[in-house]
Amino acid sequence: MDGYYSRLNNGYPWHRALDNAAAPTCSAINRSSGRLKKVFICLTVTLWPWMLTAQELIVNKATPNTQISQNQARLCFTMRLPLWENNVPVKVFVLPDNHPLHRKFAKNILGLFPYQLRQVWDRQIFSGTGQAPIMVATEQEMVERVASTLGSIGYVESGSSYPQVRTLEVR
Amino acid sequence: MHRRVIALLPVLGLMSANAEESQSIWDPLQVHGFASQAVVRTSDNHFFGNSPETSFDFTEIGINASLLINPQILLSGQLLARRAGNMYDGTPNLDYGLADFTLASSIEHRWGLRAGRIKNPLGIYNETRDVPFTHPGIFLPQVVYFDKIRNLALSLDGLMFYGETYSNLGALSLTVGGGRSVLDDNVEWTFLRNDYDGEFQPNGIVGLARLWYSAPGEQLKFGLSGTTLSLQFDPGQHSPLNAGTTDIFYWIASIQYDAEDWTLTAEYAHEPLEWRDYGPLLSNFRTTVEGYYLQGTYRIRPNVELLLRYEEGFANRNDRDGVEFSLLRGPPPFTYFSKIWTAGLRWDINREWMVRAEYQRHHGTFVLSYRENPDPSQLSEYWNLFAVQAAFRF
């Protein structure tokens, strides 16, 4: 985990740009000067692989849902929704707090800052009123666990790369 | 974290190697814990030990386990060993031990019941007040979360009902509880200014309520929480006091705003108190304690946080300079209020370790424990505090 932190620390402002890469900022760009446009083009080329992808929710294939509201997604990831509509227990998988994918997912899909998720989980864990989500180390492990666990929910950079899980559309 | 639990279980001889496939009954078991050690130095006055000569007497160690029997029933418990100067000696005790029953849940609401020893959801921090990772600063704002009388509203043995509704407008939650409060000697030291022959007993049940609103995305949260309780002094043979009662109503108004890099928090605490029937040594007496703080945290990186806080607290909100109380009861006026500036720095080194440092500038000594400072003539009106803390979690 130390590796993540040192990368995070060394390139933090850069990192922030990556966090926001999936958010639409084009209108701001249109108003900017020529110099800024050059910077934008440079950034676009550099960041292209990230800009191509938005984070996506994934669930186990046996889960009937194909879409979910942002509210319901927040309830899942703040551990306040114990059951799916078909009464299967919700099992939540997450990456470590400082994982770049986790940070982007929290902000762009849930509309929460990663530290807020941590606060919610810690309050539940240390007051005995709830449990923590199951933490996995990598995106690959996330996919494997979601594919093999009934009622599971997690997230990936791009769902189309993983046919073994179902992508959930967030409305 | 779950992986760690999986790693622990073979040690207990309970478990096969592959948890998620075997679906053993121990899968839903989670174990977490924390440990912290602080070093405290003050210019004058005792705070968490013999701080003028550097105190190491602030240690917190907790371990908890929770077992999800089915999606509706959660069992959980935490043992806490806490050493805090003369106030706590580190004897482990049951911090909470409860069964949580979800009675109904959907994407619009959730209702449930908790039974057992339950942490009181008072203010923003009380439920996890002894877990260093869950609050900014080594010390909580003392004018609201008194450590000198921490157990007064810490937890209760009883029942709590909770209900939450969720919509596009945010979440609204209501908690109502009742039971027996979990007291200790510090309550007596603070309310009777001594450890007389005899003991405080809860007089009837303690009641608790909390109403809380969070905006969608949880950026804005605010709420009211309060508890009402009565204590009965059960005098021993050599007690100079009669069997008096102390009535307490303690409520907190809270508001917090989260931005990506910073968080602003403000809380206001109001606590009417009444002492009755203790006899000639402690005549009938009423006061309203008041405290409030404004706190800002700024994250210069996701794992480095700056803290700035200002707080004020008064033994009697109608006598904020303490002059009347001083004439009536003795010790100098500054012992009846506290005005505190705090600046701090926190660094989360990795997922397990955190270190932080804190400086406080105090005017007044209201927040100090009488148990740690029994002779008011030894107290200094203006004093400084410096502390560092290292904390570990899993």
Side-chain angles (χ1 to χ4, degrees):
Chain A
M1 278 353 303
D2 294 355
Y4 277 125
Y5 264 111
S6 52
R7 255 183 283 157
L8 209 65
N9 293 343
N10 294 338
Y12 178 59
W14 200 231
H15 214 283
R16 170 95 25 116
L18 296 186
D19 281 357
N20 293 326
T25 52
C26 291
S27 59
I29 302 295
N30 290 340
R31 292 195 299 272
S32 60
S33 67
R35 200 174 132 199
L36 272 176
K37 274 182 190 159
K38 278 183 203 160
V39 173
F40 174 66
I41 291 163
C42 269
L43 275 175
T44 309
V45 173
T46 323
L47 302 180
W48 191 246
W50 283 282
M51 295 192 71
L52 271 178
T53 60
Q55 304 74 49
E56 286 182 293
L57 275 178
I58 53 167
V59 288
N60 184 271
K61 280 201 153 170
T63 305
N65 305 48
T66 54
Q67 56 178 22
I68 186 173
S69 67
Q70 192 186 38
N71 257 341
Q72 187 175 357
R74 280 191 195 125
L75 290 176
C76 283
F77 281 89
T78 52
M79 313 298 282
R80 288 181 289 186
L81 191 65
L83 295 171
W84 292 103
E85 285 89 331
N86 61 355
N87 279 332
V88 171
V90 176
K91 298 233 165 116
V92 181
F93 289 87
V94 294
L95 290 161
D97 292 13
N98 49 10
H99 194 290
L101 173 55
H102 175 76
R103 297 171 50 78
K104 284 187 281 183
F105 163 76
K107 275 175 65 179
N108 298 332
I109 305 296
L110 299 181
L112 294 172
F113 303 121
Y115 76 88
Q116 293 180 300
L117 277 174
R118 173 49 59 196
Q119 281 175 359
V120 170
W121 297 334
D122 279 354
R123 169 157 308 170
Q124 292 167 347
I125 297 168
F126 291 108
S127 64
T129 56
Q131 288 196 318
I134 301 161
M135 195 170 286
V136 293
T138 63
E139 187 174 341
Q140 191 58 43
E141 191 188 348
M142 170 83 81
V143 172
E144 286 163 16
R145 297 290 294 273
V146 170
S148 65
T149 310
L150 208 60
S152 58
I153 184 167
Y155 49 86
V156 291
E157 199 62 74
S158 166
S160 57
S161 331
Y162 302 108
Q164 63 272 52
V165 292
R166 183 203 302 276
T167 306
L168 268 194
E169 186 196 338
V170 179
R171 281 179 301 121
Chain B
M1 280 155 272
H2 194 75
R3 288 154 56 81
R4 281 180 183 278
V5 175
I6 292 168
L8 275 174
L9 289 176
V11 181
L12 303 169
L14 292 170
M15 218 3 247
S16 67
N18 199 330
E20 71 271 28
E21 281 162 28
S22 64
Q23 293 289 328
S24 106
I25 66 152
W26 298 104
D27 282 356
L29 175 72
Q30 291 192 355
V31 178
H32 295 274
F34 60 92
S36 75
Q37 175 63 51
V39 183
V40 186
R41 169 116 192 166
T42 54
S43 58
D44 311 88
N45 308 332
H46 283 59
F47 189 65
F48 285 74
N50 186 10
S51 51
E53 291 172 19
T54 305
S55 164
F56 293 84
D57 295 347
F58 184 24
T59 312
E60 292 167 311
I61 300 170
I63 184 157
N64 68 55
S66 61
L67 182 65
L68 196 63
I69 295 197
N70 64 41
Q72 280 88 23
I73 303 177
L74 177 75
L75 299 181
S76 63
Q78 177 161 282
L79 283 177
L80 176 70
R82 191 168 184 273
R83 215 160 52 102
N86 293 344
M87 298 178 285
Y88 294 92
D89 64 3
T91 308
N93 71 335
L94 183 69
D95 192 35
Y96 61 77
L98 61 93
D100 183 323
F101 306 93
T102 303
L103 302 175
S105 77
S106 74
I107 57 171
E108 275 115 33
H109 61 85
R110 184 166 74 128
W111 304 92
L113 171 68
R114 295 185 183 120
R117 176 165 297 176
I118 312 161
K119 299 300 279 286
N120 290 335
L122 289 172
I124 293 174
Y125 300 115
N126 188 63
E127 275 178 295
T128 57
R129 61 181 296 155
D130 304 313
V131 188
F133 293 88
T134 61
H135 56 82
I138 298 170
F139 303 103
L140 282 168
Q142 295 292 307
V143 300
V144 173
Y145 300 94
F146 301 95
D147 269 295
K148 66 176 178 180
I149 190 162
R150 166 177 163 280
N151 270 51
L152 185 63
L154 181 70
S155 54
L156 59 81
D157 291 340
L159 292 175
M160 269 186 216
F161 291 92
Y162 60 91
E164 296 181 306
T165 66
Y166 316 116
S167 74
N168 292 332
L169 299 172
L172 190 65
S173 75
L174 175 70
T175 307
V176 179
R180 199 178 152 93
S181 58
V182 183
L183 301 174
D184 69 4
D185 290 347
N186 289 298
V187 176
E188 197 177 325
W189 272 100
T190 300
F191 281 155
L192 303 181
R193 293 237 150 174
N194 213 322
D195 187 13
Y196 292 113
D197 181 21
E199 281 214 342
F200 262 135
Q201 304 286 347
N203 183 17
I205 65 160
V206 49
L208 178 137
R210 175 186 190 258
L211 185 63
W212 206 258
Y213 168 77
S214 323
E218 314 231 346
Q219 270 81 1
L220 178 68
K221 284 165 262 187
F222 54 84
L224 280 176
S225 47
T227 181
T228 173
L229 67 155
S230 179
L231 309 175
Q232 172 93 48
F233 184 66
D234 182 14
Q237 273 190 335
H238 309 288
S239 168
L241 297 181
N242 299 340
T245 54
T246 302
D247 297 324
I248 300 139
F249 176 44
Y250 172 52
W251 62 264
I252 304 174
S254 315
I255 185 164
Q256 187 168 58
Y257 184 82
D258 284 332
E260 181 161 20
D261 298 329
W262 51 270
T263 298
L264 269 183
T265 310
E267 292 197 285
Y268 172 87
H270 192 96
E271 189 184 3
L273 295 166
E274 184 175 2
W275 287 259
R276 287 183 283 124
D277 309 326
Y278 284 97
L281 197 68
L282 182 60
S283 50
N284 290 359
F285 182 70
R286 270 183 205 209
T287 183
T288 299
V289 175
E290 183 183 63
Y292 43 81
Y293 71 90
L294 177 66
Q295 168 183 280
T297 52
Y298 180 72
R299 287 167 284 277
I300 50 179
R301 291 178 171 189
N303 61 336
V304 179
E305 185 179 84
L306 301 173
L307 161 71
L308 188 64
R309 180 169 70 215
Y310 181 68
E311 60 195 288
E312 292 186 346
F314 309 96
N316 180 357
R317 69 187 298 262
N318 299 316
D319 176 33
R320 294 183 177 208
D321 57 11
V323 172
E324 279 177 40
F325 258 31
S326 180
L327 285 171
L328 204 69
R329 302 178 75 188
F334 68 80
T335 60
Y336 296 107
F337 64 81
S338 272
K339 298 174 182 181
I340 312 165
W341 279 101
T342 300
L345 174 67
R346 166 178 174 163
W347 177 29
D348 286 273
I349 302 168
N350 56 34
R351 207 197 310 162
E352 284 90 18
W353 285 95
M354 180 259 285
V355 289
R356 58 187 169 189
E358 188 163 318
Y359 169 78
Q360 295 187 347
R361 172 71 179 159
H362 285 251
H363 179 200
T365 62
F366 172 55
V367 299
L368 292 177
S369 163
Y370 195 76
R371 191 177 193 177
E372 291 205 295
N373 300 273
D375 181 359
S377 69
Q378 299 290 312
L379 291 169
S380 295
E381 180 170 2
Y382 293 91
W383 53 289
N384 301 308
L385 174 150
F386 182 73
V388 292
Q389 182 182 49
F392 173 81
R393 64 175 291 165
F394 68 88

